[in-house]
Amino acid sequence: VPASSPIKSLADIKGRKLAVAGGPIDKSWLLLQAQAKKDGVDLKSESTIVYGAPPLLAAMIADGEMDATINYWNFCAALEAKGFRRLVGMEDILPKLGAKDRIAMVGYVFDENWGRANRERLARFLTTTNKAKEILATSDADWETITPLTGASDPATLHAYRNRYREGIPHRPIADEQADARVLYRVLAEIGGRDLVGPAPELEPGTFYQPPPGE
């Protein structure tokens, strides 16, 4: 929300214009609705909801056309660098919905048969991505090096990208991630229905990749 916005809680969004990136079944939007309902607020019916592409919605709230926005993390970080205020983050919502800690919200998807046939290649890929995340988590200098790749228009935006990205790097064992994912999947299935999860009310076994022992 804008820094000077009178909106201080989810309840304050009632009757206002809320811009939502990702569409009606975006997971962050659904989880936010679930939490708001716990607080007695039905955001979907009690607010004016506008769906659209992330950059468009970021521009609309920057121009004062929207009262609040739910957007992808990098667009939110860029808005924060411009002085916008974060009302609530997923890290605030997830524990209230039953998760024990932060959970990875984005991942890689690959065919199970391919994974079995290419275990060494997959292990190298995972090792490389983990090393890259470690560098990004610890080296400010490397963030300066990749500035052109981030699209950051100024140092404040780059620093916002860096800080928010670091917060989102997964650090927990896969088993803990999977346990929380099962809990949140049930929440998503309840509020998103078949449009989101189809006929699967529970997280499918095998969704999380478990490297063989020693890898």
Side-chain angles (χ1 to χ4, degrees):
V1 298
S4 59
S5 171
I7 297 173
K8 304 296 182 184
S9 68
L10 293 181
D12 294 336
I13 300 177
K14 288 195 298 184
R16 300 180 184 273
K17 293 181 179 179
L18 175 61
V20 178
I25 56 175
D26 175 76
K27 61 181 178 295
S28 296
W29 168 223
L30 293 174
L31 292 171
L32 186 71
Q33 288 182 67
Q35 177 54 42
K37 284 185 176 182
K38 283 179 172 287
D39 297 335
V41 180
D42 189 336
L43 290 176
K44 191 173 182 180
S45 64
E46 296 181 285
S47 305
T48 300
I49 309 300
V50 177
Y51 299 109
L56 174 62
L57 298 185
M60 290 177 71
I61 193 169
D63 291 339
E65 298 178 46
M66 294 287 128
D67 296 307
T69 186
I70 302 169
N71 214 320
Y72 297 168
W73 76 268
N74 52 317
F75 291 96
C76 290
L79 288 169
E80 286 185 280
K82 295 177 181 177
F84 280 70
R85 171 168 51 84
R86 173 181 281 208
L87 180 67
V88 64
M90 280 296 108
E91 69 275 11
D92 305 312
I93 292 173
L94 298 185
K96 297 178 182 179
L97 297 177
K100 293 183 178 180
D101 206 338
R102 285 178 177 268
I103 184 172
M105 304 291 281
V106 180
Y108 306 105
V109 178
F110 56 88
D111 180 81
E112 189 173 0
N113 292 328
W114 181 92
R116 282 196 292 265
N118 294 272
R119 283 180 175 175
E120 290 186 8
R121 184 180 300 177
L122 184 56
R124 290 198 304 271
F125 172 76
L126 295 175
T127 297
T128 300
T129 58
N130 287 336
K131 286 181 178 178
K133 289 172 184 173
E134 184 177 352
I135 291 170
L136 292 173
T138 57
S139 173
D140 292 348
D142 281 290
W143 276 95
E144 298 294 336
T145 300
I146 65 170
T147 297
L149 299 177
T150 68
S153 56
D154 53 67
T157 302
L158 178 68
H159 295 162
Y161 285 161
R162 180 195 66 197
N163 295 341
R164 290 304 184 192
Y165 180 88
R166 286 174 171 174
E167 290 176 2
I169 296 175
H171 294 290
R172 297 197 296 161
I174 294 174
D176 293 347
E177 290 276 349
Q178 188 169 235
D180 277 349
R182 285 198 184 97
V183 172
L184 296 175
Y185 186 96
R186 294 188 192 106
V187 176
L188 290 170
E190 180 179 350
I191 197 165
R194 293 179 67 92
D195 289 342
L196 179 67
V197 301
E202 297 284 337
L203 185 70
E204 190 72 16
T207 299
F208 280 73
Y209 176 66
Q210 294 280 1
E215 292 187 10

